[in-house]
Amino acid sequence: MPLPEVKEKWSGRVHPVTLGATPAEGGTRGRTVTIGGASGIPFLDFDGETPHAPAIAMDVLDVAPSDWPKPLADVYADVWSDPAAWARRVKELGADLVNLRLVGTHPDEGDRTPEQAVETVRAVLDAVDLPLVIWGCDVPAKDQVVMPRVAEAAQGENCLLGAATETEYRTLAAAALAYHHKLIALAPCDINKSKQVNMLVSDTGYPLADLVIYPTTASLGYGMEYVYSILERGRLAALSGDRLMAQPVILDVGYEAWRCKEARTGDEAAAAWGPAALRGPAWEAVTAADLLQGGADLIVMRHPKAVETVRRLIDGLLAPTA
Amino acid sequence: MIIFSERINGMYRDVRGAIADRNKEVIHRLLAEQLAGGADVIDLNIGPTKGDPAENFLWLAQAVHEVTDKPLSLDSAKANVLVQAVPAVREALPDTGLVINSCTAAREYMDKLLPLAVQYRCGIIGLTMDQDGVPGNVEKRVECGASFLMAAIEAGIPTEDIYLDPIILPIHAAPKQQIHAVEAIRQLAAVSDPPPRFIVGLSNVSQKCPLHKLLNRTYLVMCLAAGLDAAICDAADRDLIDAMITAEALLGKHLYSDDYLRAWRMQKGLAC
């Protein structure tokens, strides 16, 4: 029996977005990373091209985390009070990008000043030559003060800045535009809202082609299917020619996976659930693997074992079929 | 939906006068309104103008092409006029998309116009009627549409360049024909794989009706739900285009957002 033809004819594709800048491009990065560009369903090489493999950014915090469980502490505790050393560590572990979270600027979590944030960003830029994703602390009033300063300090490095939302987008879009950075547009688990945010950001004069969509993330066992279906619908809209939905997608897998009790609980549950040293990384890797199938272009991760597994999976899925 | 602008038509007195006087300004002003409304294809109809029809078509096509490189549809019920006008316009505008509007399923018409479409790289609109005139029922419309489609494919025209027009008649003159046309679209879409494109001359439905705009937009939505792909209509009628965008969103053809009307216009590069 002949196989039915399932190949679709798409009119659109995901925008490619390049992050980082080498000295030739006015920055100091060792290389750039391009995400997006796909012209078909993820990992179906007969359906369309995947010119750029999904990239992996690894988390670095500006202050030592207080609640990271043992499997992560085992890898990072010796460097996590120094963001520069931490950044060097994630580079050694194979990160494509550093995902720098300025959580310490949060008014209730240390209230670090814009100057201190700038210092951290500079230290990380000096320590490693990977492109950067930089997030504020998620408190709009504080981010509006910190992020423009950070954007200015990182001028020329073509970072990815997070995150513009439906109500708070003007300041960040203006800073990203002024200092030539890429921008994350965030709409929590709502694809219609996502389109709306992209439109609002675009209204400020910020180019649609420089946006990256962040639909938020949910872990395996905690609503991952919902995010998966949003990824699918977004990719189909992009492929159908919807330019407001043609942006590549970033997902925060590490943070979400390591919030789950299945990942966090220690070896007291080993008898029923298996050893913590494997369970957490597995939870993170499986979440990433699933969401990559939905259409994630850039995933933020934490544990090197999970990163290694996911990297192997991506390489295998993108290997030319014989 | 593919919007064929209906306004550059010699049935309108201003256009007829502009063709007679070779007055491009009038054409350019009307065209600007149609383009601002989202027109994708410019339908050209010289109406009952004096002089050589092919020359009038050529002048009109060139006047329009000065403003936009959008495809043109050459609109005449007379096959002999199209046989003269199409080569002349193609020679003057070698790279512009052209659509022949229209042909019927009568052998005599198809023998003249299908080879013309192939030779001059044109799309073609086929009316679902033959030598016996406009069918009074759904079945004959489907039969005529299917035979035109088969003949056009056999002639070598790509399916995406073939449009079927189920013929829209005014509601006050021919009630029941409106729903027949809708049903014909539905049935023809179901039996053809891959389907051609379906198009209607929308404003016919409301000819001489005081509430013509309401009739037009209501009927357009009904046709879209049946599978319509294109309409010859007034792109400058904002309520009509809003109804079309809304119907397409409800049909799942584009992703909804609270500002979906603006999203549609933004993506077409129109002022919002």
Side-chain angles (χ1 to χ4, degrees), chain A residues 114-295:
Chain A
E115 291 72 26
Q116 287 172 309
V118 163
E119 223 170 88
T120 301
V121 169
R122 287 226 174 93
V124 171
L125 282 168
D126 289 344
V128 291
D129 61 358
L130 300 179
L132 255 61
V133 186
I134 309 174
W135 304 78
C137 65
D138 227 4
V139 175
K142 186 64 182 283
D143 286 348
Q144 280 167 15
V145 183
V146 172
M147 293 307 282
R149 297 284 306 276
V150 163
E152 184 184 12
Q155 183 167 16
E157 301 291 1
N158 191 23
C159 302
L160 177 60
L161 305 182
T165 66
E166 192 186 15
T167 49
E168 305 291 340
Y169 58 91
R170 288 189 178 85
T171 307
L172 198 56
L177 194 61
Y179 301 111
H180 308 290
H181 297 294
K182 304 296 194 283
L183 185 60
I184 296 169
L186 157 66
C189 267
D190 184 335
I191 192 165
N192 307 117
K193 210 60 105 184
S194 182
K195 186 166 175 174
Q196 186 81 7
V197 175
N198 293 353
M199 201 173 351
L200 292 171
V201 173
S202 163
D203 284 345
T204 69
Y206 192 84
L208 279 173
D210 287 350
L211 282 179
V212 173
I213 290 174
Y214 177 41
T216 64
T217 309
S219 166
L220 172 67
Y222 295 85
M224 185 181 71
E225 302 80 354
Y226 201 67
V227 172
Y228 188 97
S229 78
I230 284 175
L231 291 174
E232 274 188 319
R233 289 178 64 198
R235 174 64 65 93
L236 291 175
L239 296 177
S240 314
D242 190 336
R243 291 191 299 113
L244 285 164
M245 288 307 290
Q247 293 69 23
V249 173
I250 182 172
L251 293 182
D252 198 1
V253 169
Y255 169 78
E256 289 296 334
W258 287 96
R259 285 169 67 190
C260 305
K261 68 173 185 295
E262 292 83 352
R264 299 184 65 83
T265 307
D267 278 333
E268 64 272 23
W273 287 0
L278 291 179
R279 197 189 327 121
W283 209 264
E284 184 180 8
V286 170
T287 302
D290 287 337
L291 293 174
L292 282 167
Q293 295 286 348

Side-chain angles (χ1 to χ4, degrees), chain B residues 41-65:
Chain B
V41 180
I42 314 301
D43 188 69
L44 305 180
N45 186 320
I46 56 168
T49 41
K50 297 202 176 73
D52 179 57
E55 268 176 36
N56 285 342
F57 259 120
L58 184 59
W59 177 81
L60 200 52
Q62 285 177 317
V64 167
H65 191 70

